[in-house]
């Protein structure tokens, strides 16, 4: 349906997308707002990087073993899952939606990987990994269809699918547990493979981050995700196929959650129906801490990945600093609140600056 | 293409022209009336679904239609029912409070720690309620004074309050509460199977319902949810209204935490983990619009009971509890997707011919 809307509207709106383009490419020299919008995320990412460096420095001073090769590898491996999930979640958040079902999707696809190994022992490992990703993609399609079709807040839809996917996982598992012995050594060893000293999953996560970042920045459809998240009604008016731009990130996010499930299965080797329970909170937290606004339209996947790295580092650093591990979640919660507050502060300041710069044509 | 476009446009044009001269207040009132009738149908359908499910469960599931079981069912949904009352008001104003289950958990943890420290429960319980109000007030201040979206704020405080619960009690459990209190929590009304908490829920629901549906305060809540800007101009303080609702939400969640701890005789940091999902599910299932401005308390109570009946019946019928998650999810998704999709289809039909 939106396809006809789009084609019907695209002819008279060749001008508005052109007007939106400078903000998108950040090249229009007379567009102060475009540049301001690009500068703020950079400031946010710098802040997180600074916090990260500070945290690592303090922890290393307190406990010199923190920066040893093995613990850095462990840290990267720990951040991998969260970073992959945070990248997908960011793309959804940018369109002013949210996917609360990622924990369930990751659990379901992890279990699917294990079950495929058990049921079809002859299958080559890459095929099984593909199955895991496809299970995630399918869940993403379900979410995307429901959100785009009904145009109800994704919060409600994905709250529902969070239950559904988890329920299917439990029903399928039926109390069963899959152990490392059920999976081939080659698959389980993937986490221990290193590329120039960096664990393979971390390399994969980095590739995902860079690819998503590249797409969001350099492709028109990627930039349009920001337009949709900033003002859906306006995006629709200038001819952006909003429903499709909302749908796609859900599918991508589902695939990435599926990939995270594969990584989880490979790394931990023990799978039951509880895998990934409550993970959605941590994922949203990583994205929000990384400067992705929960109300859409701003943020980068680099920030989200940094947020994931920061949260994982806090996780690893607290015991080193002899801080009770129970503080971790409270710190995460506080970080979310501080990040949203900071975001709001920056937005208010930008709005004031823009208003001071004189009225802008509608 | 041209003439086809013209005809429907010409036929629809007089309709707005006819309504235009009417006084705006009258148009608003008629909009309100049609809204109320829509509401009534939503509510009727959920109450109908509840009655049908009760009837079906009584006929099919052995042991469902007994007083004993009804008592268990009520105890099972107590926390959800209590928290759903203020949540209904919060969602009607267009906000949401996802931190309720964490507030419950933190209250439970504090209750356990204070009991270990030797305080009497007579003192602990009011302290816990005050704690809940403060936790709610923090949410409210961040939403109203700082102007942050409640969804983001309460996702943050959900993590923080749950984290603080672990900070307070760790992964220990405090279970040595006196039987006079734990037994008292689940006590039945003399000579019946009805737990006394059912009476409290009924009284609270009546109070919340009366305030929401029969007082200017209640109408103000709908107004805030429908159009906060316009409401502000009409002299209602949107900020104070929302702030108090968050305080109320926190206080009731703390009360539910006290009850939960006594009911299960165990104070734990992970008590009621993820219960906010069930509460939100029940409220939305009951016909409250997530966009705010629409919904009614009887519908919400029916939503709470419907989830409870399905859960109870499935468990009695030895259907694995995993199916419950699937059913809950399906119900929730259907309850939002079906009406909005139908509305969109209906909306589109008159405009089907002209390309937009």
């Amino acid at each position: 349906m939106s396809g006809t809307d789009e084609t019907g509207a695209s002819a008279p709106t060749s001008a508005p997308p052109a007007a939106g383009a400078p903000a998108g490419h950040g090249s229009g020299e007379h567009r102060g707002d475009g540049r301001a919008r690009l500068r703020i995320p950079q400031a946010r990412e710098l802040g997180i990087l600074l916090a990260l460096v500070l945290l690592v420095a303090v922890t290393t001073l307190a406990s010199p073993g923190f920066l040893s090769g093995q613990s850095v590898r462990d840290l990267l491996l720990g951040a991998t899952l969260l970073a992959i999930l945070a990248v997908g979640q960011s793309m959804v958040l940018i369109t002013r939606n949210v996917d609360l079902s990622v924990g369930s999707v990751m659990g379901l696809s992890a279990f699917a990987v294990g079950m495929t190994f058990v049921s079809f022992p002859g299958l080559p490992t890459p095929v099984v990994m593909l199955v895991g990703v496809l299970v995630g993609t399918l869940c993403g399609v379900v979410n995307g269809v429901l959100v785009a079709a009904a145009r109800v807040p994704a919060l409600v839809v994905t709250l529902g699918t969070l239950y559904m996917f988890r329920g299917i996982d439990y029903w399928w598992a039926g109390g069963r547990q899959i152990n490392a012995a059920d999976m081939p050594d080659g698959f389980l060893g993937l986490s221990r493979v290193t590329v120039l000293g960096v664990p393979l999953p971390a390399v994969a996560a980095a590739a995902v981050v860079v690819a998503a970042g590249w797409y969001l920045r350099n492709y028109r459809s990627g930039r349009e995700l920001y337009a949709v998240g900033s003002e859906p009604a306006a995006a629709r008016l200038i001819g952006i196929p909003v429903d499709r731009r909302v749908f796609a990130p859900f599918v991508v996010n589902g695939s990435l959650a599926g990939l995270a499930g594969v990584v989880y299965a490979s790394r931990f080797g023990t799978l039951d129906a509880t895998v990934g329970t409550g993970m959605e909170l941590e994922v949203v937290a990583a994205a929000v801490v990384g400067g992705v606004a929960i109300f859409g339209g701003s943020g980068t996947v680099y920030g989200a990945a940094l947020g994931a790295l920061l949260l994982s580092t806090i996780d690893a650093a607290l015991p080193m600093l002899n801080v009770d591990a129970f503080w971790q979640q409270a710190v995460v919660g506080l970080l979310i609140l501080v990040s949203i507050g900071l975001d709001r502060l920056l937005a208010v300041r930008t709005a004031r600056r823009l208003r001071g710069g004189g009225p802008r044509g509608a | 293409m041209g003439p086809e476009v013209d005809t429907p446009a010409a036929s629809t044009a007089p309709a707005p022209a006819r309504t235009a001269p009417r006084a705006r207040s009258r148009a608003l009132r008629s909009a309100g009336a049609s809204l109320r009738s829509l509401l009534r149908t939503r509510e009727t359908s959920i109450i109908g679904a509840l009655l049908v499910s009760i009837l079906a469960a009584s006929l099919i599931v052995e042991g469902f239609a007994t007083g004993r079981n009804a008592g268990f069912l009520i105890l099972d949904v107590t926390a959800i029912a209590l928290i759903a009352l203020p949540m209904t008001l919060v969602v009607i104003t267009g906000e949401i409070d996802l931190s309720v289950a964490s507030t419950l958990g933190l209250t439970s943890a504090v209750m356990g720690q204070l009991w270990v420290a030797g305080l009497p429960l007579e003192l602990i319980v009011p302290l816990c309620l005050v704690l809940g109000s403060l936790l709610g007030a923090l949410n409210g201040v961040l939403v109203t004074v700082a102007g942050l979206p409640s969804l983001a704020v309460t996702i943050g405080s959900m993590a923080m309050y749950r984290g603080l619960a672990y900070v307070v009690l760790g992964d220990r459990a405090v279970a040595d509460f006196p039987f006079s209190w734990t037994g008292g929590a689940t006590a039945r009304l003399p000579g019946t199977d009805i737990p006394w908490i059912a009476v409290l829920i009924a009284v609270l629901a009546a109070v919340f319902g009366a305030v929401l549906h029969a007082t200017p305060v209640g109408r103000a809540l709908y107004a805030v949810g429908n159009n906060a800007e316009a409401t502000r101009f009409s002299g209602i303080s949107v900020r104070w209204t929302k702030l108090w609702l968050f305080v109320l939400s926190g206080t009731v969640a703390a009360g539910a935490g006290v009850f939960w701890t006594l009911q299960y005789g165990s104070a734990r940091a992970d008590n009621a983990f993820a219960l906010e999902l069930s509460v939100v599910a029940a409220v939305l299932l009951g016909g409250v619009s997530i966009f705010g401005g629409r919904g009614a308390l009887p519908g919400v109570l029916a939503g709470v009971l419907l989830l409870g009946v399905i859960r109870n019946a499935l468990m009695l019928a030895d259907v694995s509890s995993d199916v419950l998650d699937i059913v809950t999810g399906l119900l929730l998704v259907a309850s939002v997707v079906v009406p909005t999709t139908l509305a969109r289809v209906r909306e589109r039909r008159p405009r089907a011919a002209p390309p937009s």
Side-chain angles (χ1 to χ4, degrees):
Chain A
M1 274 305 178
S2 68
T4 58
D5 286 1
E6 176 212 356
T7 48
S10 62
T13 50
S14 54
H25 297 298
S27 60
E29 60 275 35
H30 61 288
R31 297 249 159 197
D33 56 343
R35 271 188 288 142
R37 208 175 267 177
L38 279 175
R39 206 182 296 141
I40 289 166
Q42 277 164 10
R44 280 303 304 274
E45 282 146 27
L46 210 65
I48 306 161
L49 206 59
L50 216 65
L52 194 60
V53 169
L54 203 68
L55 179 64
V56 170
V58 169
T59 315
T60 313
L61 280 180
S63 158
F66 188 60
L67 271 190
S68 76
Q70 188 50 44
S71 73
V72 168
R73 265 197 295 280
D74 285 347
L75 182 65
L76 285 178
L77 220 43
T80 295
L81 278 178
L82 200 53
I84 294 176
L85 291 169
V87 166
Q89 187 70 257
S90 305
M91 296 177 79
V92 175
L93 285 173
I94 284 168
T95 65
R96 207 185 267 195
N97 286 289
V98 68
D99 187 350
L100 292 182
S101 72
V102 281
S104 301
V105 174
M106 186 182 99
L108 188 58
S109 88
F111 196 78
V113 167
M115 274 311 282
T116 314
F117 275 127
V118 171
S119 311
F120 307 98
L123 276 182
T125 301
V127 174
V128 181
M129 291 168 74
L130 193 65
V131 168
V133 175
L134 284 180
V135 167
T137 310
L138 195 67
C139 295
V141 169
V142 171
N143 281 330
V145 165
L146 288 172
V147 171
R151 284 190 203 157
V152 292
L155 172 75
V156 188
V157 169
T158 57
L159 193 57
T161 52
L162 177 152
Y163 278 113
M164 275 163 54
F165 298 151
R166 180 67 63 192
I168 292 169
D169 199 0
Y170 269 103
W171 175 66
W172 192 14
R176 229 173 330 180
Q177 195 183 47
I178 292 169
N179 300 306
D182 300 321
M183 289 183 273
D185 290 338
F187 176 66
L188 296 169
L190 283 178
S191 300
R192 287 189 290 276
V193 176
T194 58
V195 181
L196 302 173
V198 180
L200 187 61
V203 174
V208 165
V209 174
V210 171
W214 175 264
Y215 165 74
L216 285 178
R217 197 179 161 78
N218 295 305
Y219 280 77
R220 179 169 161 164
S221 52
R223 298 303 309 175
E224 284 177 354
L225 296 186
Y226 288 92
V228 169
S230 297
E231 193 54 72
R236 207 178 291 276
L237 276 180
I238 64 168
I240 294 173
V242 171
D243 290 345
R244 226 185 300 162
R245 294 288 174 270
V246 167
F247 175 73
F250 275 102
V251 180
V252 173
N253 188 34
S255 306
L256 290 179
L259 179 64
V262 174
V263 172
Y264 186 101
S266 156
R267 183 172 172 217
F268 294 101
T270 306
L271 307 169
D272 60 20
T274 64
V275 170
T277 305
M279 191 84 181
E280 60 281 344
L281 176 68
E282 227 177 313
V283 176
V284 173
V288 169
V289 167
V292 180
I294 203 157
F295 26 94
S298 77
T300 65
V301 290
Y302 305 115
L306 276 176
L309 196 57
L310 179 63
L311 293 192
S312 309
T313 311
I314 290 175
D315 201 2
L318 285 181
M320 295 277 188
L321 294 169
N322 287 326
V323 177
D324 196 29
F326 293 123
W327 272 99
Q328 198 227 334
Q329 205 181 355
V331 171
V332 168
L334 191 65
L335 266 178
I336 303 177
L337 290 178
V338 170
S339 309
I340 330 163
L342 198 66
D343 234 27
R344 170 75 181 171
L345 201 70
L346 288 172
V348 168
R349 198 174 288 173
T350 310
R352 202 172 294 151
R353 196 190 309 142
L354 288 177
R355 222 176 292 136
R360 210 165 281 278
Chain B
M1 196 89 176
E4 281 171 34
V5 175
D6 282 345
T7 359
S11 69
T12 51
R18 231 177 288 138
T19 52
R22 285 189 184 168
R24 190 168 292 171
S25 68
R26 200 178 302 168
L28 264 179
R29 217 176 302 147
S30 75
S34 64
L35 212 124
R36 267 195 297 280
S37 72
L38 180 82
L39 222 165
R40 229 173 276 137
T41 55
R42 274 285 287 175
E43 240 180 291
T44 322
S45 59
I46 186 76
I47 292 171
L50 173 64
L51 294 179
V52 168
S53 65
I54 289 177
L55 193 69
S58 310
L59 291 176
I60 300 167
V61 182
E62 202 179 330
F64 177 83
T66 62
R68 226 175 103 77
N69 186 49
F72 282 129
L73 200 161
I74 291 167
L75 282 177
D76 203 30
V77 301
T78 292
I80 296 176
L82 284 174
I83 299 173
L85 297 176
M87 184 71 87
T88 304
L89 308 196
V90 170
V91 177
I92 282 176
T93 61
E95 303 289 346
I96 195 161
D97 185 354
L98 293 179
S99 71
V100 281
S102 297
T103 301
L104 194 162
L106 179 50
T107 308
S108 183
V110 167
M111 192 173 164
Q113 196 58 275
L114 290 179
W115 174 249
V116 170
L119 262 66
L121 280 167
E122 288 83 356
L123 187 61
I124 292 175
V125 172
L127 280 177
C128 283
L129 293 179
V130 171
L131 172 71
S133 321
L134 291 176
L135 297 175
L138 178 60
N139 284 334
V141 165
L142 287 173
V143 170
T144 58
V145 178
L148 302 173
S150 57
L151 174 63
V153 165
T154 57
I155 282 182
S157 56
M158 165 167 76
M160 195 170 74
Y161 296 168
R162 184 66 73 183
L164 287 175
Y166 279 107
V167 171
V168 169
L169 201 58
D171 49 11
R172 289 173 294 144
V174 176
D176 57 342
F177 295 104
F179 179 76
S180 58
W181 284 75
T182 54
T186 55
R188 317 291 155 127
L189 291 178
T192 66
D193 292 310
I194 305 166
W196 68 266
I197 192 75
V199 179
L200 179 71
I201 295 173
V203 170
L204 280 178
V207 171
F208 273 82
V211 169
L212 181 63
H213 298 297
T215 67
V217 176
R219 281 193 289 280
L221 297 186
Y222 286 101
V224 169
N226 273 317
N227 193 335
E229 201 65 30
T231 314
R232 203 169 293 132
F233 284 122
S234 73
I236 295 165
S237 172
V238 173
R239 284 187 169 185
W240 280 109
T241 312
K242 288 185 174 173
L243 182 60
W244 279 116
L245 283 184
F246 277 103
V247 172
L248 191 64
S249 178
T251 314
V252 173
V258 169
F259 185 80
W260 184 291
T261 308
L262 294 175
Q263 178 187 1
Y264 298 107
S266 173
R268 292 181 58 91
D270 65 350
N271 269 350
F273 181 77
L275 193 81
E276 70 276 347
L277 302 183
S278 307
V279 175
V280 172
V283 168
L284 298 177
L285 192 62
V288 178
S289 164
I290 188 80
F291 299 111
R294 245 174 51 198
L297 214 58
V300 171
L301 289 176
V304 171
L305 284 175
L306 180 61
L307 288 181
V309 166
I310 291 173
R311 178 197 188 84
N312 181 280
L314 287 177
M315 283 195 327
L316 281 179
D318 266 342
V319 177
S320 77
S321 64
D322 327 329
V323 178
L324 178 77
D325 277 351
I326 304 178
V327 173
T328 308
L330 274 177
L331 271 176
L332 181 55
V333 168
S335 72
V336 290
V337 169
V338 170
T340 45
T341 311
L342 282 180
R344 272 182 69 197
V345 168
R346 221 173 291 138
E347 211 172 274
R348 181 164 292 175
R349 207 170 287 151
R351 286 191 288 145
S356 49

